[in-house]
Amino acid sequence: MSRLMGQMMQMPLMISSLLTHAARHSADTEIVSKRVEGDIHRYTYRDAELRARKLAQALARLGCEMGDRIGTLAWNGYRHFEIYYGTSGSGLVCHTINPRLFPEQIAWIINDAEDRVLCFDLNFLPLVEKLAPTLRTVQHFVLMSDPAHMPAQTSLSGLLCYEELVEAEDGQYTWPQFDENTASSICYTSGTTGHPKGAVYSHRSTVLHAYASALPDAMGCSAQDVILPVVPMFHVNAWGLPYSAALVGAKLVLPGPHLDGKSLYELFETEKVTFSAGVPTVWLGLINHAKQHNLKFSTFKRTVIGGSACPPSMLRTLEDDFGVNVIHAWGMTELSPLGTLSKLKAKHLDLPLEAQRRILEKQGKVIYGIDMQIIGDDGQPLPWDGKSSGNLVVRGPWVIQSYFRRDESPLQDGWFPTGDVATIDPDGYMQITDRSKDVIKSGGEWISSIELENIAMAHPAVHEAAAIACKHPKWDERPLLVVVRKPGASLTREEMLAFYEGKIAKWQIPDDVVFVDEIPHTATGKIQKLKLREQFANHVLPT
Ligand code: ADP
């Protein structure tokens, strides 16, 4: 018997369609950028789409062909936005590179991806000059600036000027249609152990991710929003915001390298930002600045916080003191990155505020498209009871199937193992207890480092805290708390430990507290637990 097929148009999901849609339906909606140079640049989706077409022409003129990788070392800005669309839209692959990585790692990544062109912001010129002799595949270096900012002297031979390239073209270019499974961009994981691995996104995965993450119970993006992604375009495509903003026609505000509390606050106010997204550490800076100067936000209403656990105290401060709703989210490079976000269901609306908050503090429900499970040590799925904790595995159309040029599959029975340990409650709210390599194993019992950190962060004298495993002769491992005090605040070891009493079981309370001036962070703003564990490898716990 012949099967009846759907009789709908076959239209591939193309990244270029997001921008052409924005240029047609939100033509005069602005994209505002604070440039590396410090000034403000503003134009519209109509302008951006034309310039993305010109860039596609320019890259073709340089000899780039379908599938070629175009590297970027750049902050959040309109030229980076044009490169996102001009490369992917024309069948090239946008390879965003995290400039905060070590130079050797950056060179390794560029060589691994075999980037043919490298585009970079003005302030990365010295870095690129230093790396250039080790880059084996880059044929063209493009400085993302105008003729006035081109260096008089440089060791880069044939350095090209972005504005000259773009402005030499006429824009008579039609975005090509091709298989939606074609690679669109690559992002490398930070690779805390071993070499970084490349996640290769496709047009299809990117458009589906943009669709799903714009939904009301996800990021809830709309044409009424003014979106400022603090999260960098150089890591996991700024959580997809350059795509979802175009999809809904929201105004975009791109802060460049100006990410300190003062600069961000000014941009939030002058551009009337309603929605933002970033890792917890950036909010620490913004909150401190606003508190010190007794400032309030006039338009800023909600923010997604993820990348590391959002401490409940941060959620409360933003909501109670500043009227900003926090949407706690979880994801990873291998998930494009969004997996879960925490929003209430209708049945929760009548709950007391405290009960609602306990739900919102979790990492949240999956967005449609992502499927998750928690797996026990015996390899069997664990119940969704909010208590059983196991290894979190996921699958879905925007989850990687394999890494760039790696033969071995990361999947286990068709699921991607996230390396996170989590619980899931009967309503489907997932809560991360730890990265599996960060859990503290005390006498066969697991202590959640995130829970210990969340409690410490609620102490008014604590600026930042990290809980790590410390060797113990009897219990194998015991928790050690590393604390950065707020400037001018006083806090003793005993006061910190007393703060835990009544909040968790006695045996989970850290054995010791050490105070440091600074906690090391990774290139994506996460606490570097590995480094801390090395630093305190010989720490002797009090008996
Ligand atoms: P990296 O930047 O280290 O390459 P990712 O950006 O992919 O890695 O980070 C993914 C990891 O970050 C997750 O596996 C998880 O451990 C952690 N993470 C992300 N969001 C959260 C969150 N809301 N709460 C706790 N951990 C989180």
Side-chain angles (χ1 to χ4, degrees):
M1 216 170 56
S2 69
R3 179 164 46 137
L4 179 63
M5 300 301 288
Q7 295 173 347
M8 311 308 282
M9 292 187 191
Q10 291 282 331
M11 294 186 66
L13 300 173
M14 296 274 94
I15 285 180
S16 57
S17 71
L18 297 169
L19 190 57
T20 52
H21 174 80
R24 195 167 300 136
H25 300 282
S26 313
D28 60 357
T29 300
E30 281 185 312
I31 299 174
V32 179
S33 310
K34 189 153 181 190
R35 290 198 265 213
V36 174
E37 295 85 348
D39 62 344
I40 297 278
H41 171 273
R42 49 181 78 236
Y43 72 168
T44 64
Y45 276 113
R46 187 199 286 119
D47 305 327
E49 196 267 340
L50 172 61
R51 280 176 44 102
R53 266 186 280 140
K54 290 183 176 185
L55 176 66
Q57 289 178 300
L59 290 168
R61 199 176 297 281
L62 290 178
C64 297
E65 293 171 355
M66 271 304 260
D68 279 350
R69 270 78 70 197
I70 311 300
T72 66
L73 272 169
W75 302 102
N76 293 7
Y78 66 105
R79 294 188 182 112
H80 206 178
F81 182 85
E82 292 163 4
I83 296 173
Y84 265 45
Y85 284 96
T87 54
S88 307
S90 61
L92 303 172
V93 182
C94 182
H95 172 208
T96 54
I97 305 156
N98 187 338
R100 296 201 179 111
L101 295 172
F102 290 122
E104 308 77 61
Q105 268 179 319
I106 296 178
W108 188 91
I109 286 174
I110 294 174
N111 287 329
D112 189 62
E114 299 188 338
D115 292 343
R116 187 157 180 182
V117 176
L118 182 62
C119 304
F120 55 96
D121 270 336
L122 193 54
N123 57 337
F124 296 126
L125 179 64
L127 172 67
V128 176
E129 286 175 331
K130 189 172 138 196
L131 295 178
T134 62
L135 304 180
R136 293 193 294 269
T137 58
V138 178
Q139 294 168 356
H140 302 286
F141 292 95
V142 180
L143 180 60
M144 293 162 65
S145 194
D146 51 22
H149 289 90
M150 291 303 282
Q153 277 194 327
T154 172
S155 57
L156 297 172
S157 69
L159 177 64
L160 297 167
C161 170
Y162 183 90
E163 287 302 321
E164 279 180 352
L165 285 179
V166 168
E167 287 314 322
E169 303 296 336
D170 60 9
Q172 297 298 318
Y173 179 87
T174 309
W175 296 112
Q177 302 283 301
F178 42 83
D179 184 341
E180 63 183 15
N181 290 302
T182 305
S184 58
S185 60
I186 301 191
C187 179
Y188 279 75
T189 61
S190 306
T192 36
T193 51
H195 279 309
K197 296 190 283 266
V200 186
Y201 311 118
S202 69
H203 285 257
R204 174 184 159 80
S205 70
T206 305
V207 173
L208 289 176
H209 177 267
Y211 250 125
S213 52
L215 286 170
D217 283 335
M219 297 202 283
C221 302
S222 116
Q224 294 176 18
D225 272 320
V226 179
I227 304 180
L228 187 152
V230 179
V231 43
M233 288 171 71
F234 59 68
H235 193 61
V236 216
N237 300 330
W239 298 352
L241 283 169
Y243 305 115
S244 348
L247 182 145
V248 300
K251 172 175 165 181
L252 257 183
V253 182
L254 304 171
H258 313 280
L259 301 175
D260 59 288
K262 180 170 183 288
S263 307
L264 281 178
Y265 179 80
E266 283 167 9
L267 211 49
F268 272 71
E269 287 300 296
T270 52
E271 297 304 327
K272 301 190 165 49
V273 171
T274 59
F275 173 53
S276 186
V279 296
T281 36
V282 306
W283 301 112
L284 283 180
L286 188 61
I287 291 171
N288 281 351
H289 174 77
K291 283 209 157 164
Q292 267 167 20
H293 298 87
N294 210 10
L295 303 168
K296 295 279 181 238
F297 295 102
S298 354
T299 53
F300 183 28
K301 286 286 168 285
R302 63 186 208 289
T303 184
V304 173
I305 299 187
S308 320
C310 170
S313 55
M314 179 176 286
L315 185 145
R316 281 156 205 259
T317 303
L318 280 166
E319 297 203 345
D320 297 343
D321 301 353
F322 296 102
V324 177
N325 277 323
V326 172
I327 307 163
H328 192 191
W330 167 88
M332 54 198 308
T333 307
E334 290 88 338
L335 269 78
S336 310
L338 289 179
T340 67
L341 295 102
S342 210
K343 289 263 187 98
L344 298 177
K345 297 183 181 184
K347 68 174 185 183
H348 298 136
L349 297 179
D350 294 330
L351 290 177
L353 183 64
E354 272 311 304
Q356 291 183 344
R357 284 196 164 157
R358 275 196 294 280
I359 298 170
L360 294 173
E361 285 163 8
K362 298 188 176 193
Q363 277 74 2
K365 297 176 285 158
V366 289
I367 338 173
Y368 166 78
I370 296 289
D371 200 3
M372 70 179 170
Q373 282 193 332
I374 39 172
I375 305 289
D377 289 336
D378 58 357
Q380 295 306 309
L382 293 168
W384 290 21
D385 56 12
K387 292 186 206 79
S388 314
S389 76
N391 298 312
L392 179 67
V393 297
V394 292
R395 62 182 179 193
W398 57 85
V399 179
I400 64 154
Q401 179 159 303
S402 52
Y403 289 101
F404 182 62
R405 289 200 176 145
R406 301 276 180 124
D407 292 335
E408 68 285 14
S409 168
L411 305 191
Q412 293 169 1
D413 298 330
W415 294 79
F416 176 77
T418 63
D420 288 324
V421 180
T423 61
I424 307 177
D425 71 19
D427 285 324
Y429 289 81
M430 183 272 287
Q431 183 163 28
I432 304 270
T433 48
D434 251 316
R435 270 196 163 182
S436 54
K437 48 187 184 289
D438 295 336
V439 276
I440 302 161
K441 294 177 187 123
S442 169
E445 297 281 350
W446 287 12
I447 302 177
S448 157
S449 68
I450 294 182
E451 192 176 8
L452 298 181
E453 287 155 12
N454 283 346
I455 294 173
M457 289 295 286
H459 192 288
V462 173
H463 173 71
E464 200 171 18
I468 55 168
C470 197
K471 282 208 180 59
H472 190 281
K474 178 161 174 211
W475 302 111
D476 219 10
E477 290 178 354
R478 287 293 303 157
L480 168 68
L481 189 73
V482 184
V483 173
V484 180
R485 295 187 191 93
K486 283 206 177 123
S490 81
L491 176 69
T492 63
R493 171 186 181 276
E494 287 65 34
E495 285 164 350
M496 185 74 254
L497 291 178
F499 192 67
Y500 278 94
E501 274 161 30
K503 297 192 174 78
I504 42 169
K506 261 203 149 47
W507 63 271
Q508 296 174 325
I509 298 179
D511 279 23
D512 204 1
V513 182
V514 287
F515 294 97
V516 294
D517 291 337
E518 210 182 334
I519 284 177
H521 289 99
T522 66
T524 48
K526 293 171 216 268
I527 292 177
Q528 261 181 326
K529 295 259 170 105
L530 194 67
K531 201 158 179 185
L532 276 182
R533 281 197 296 264
E534 280 165 15
Q535 194 177 334
F536 293 99
N538 299 321
H539 184 81
V540 182
L541 294 170
T543 43

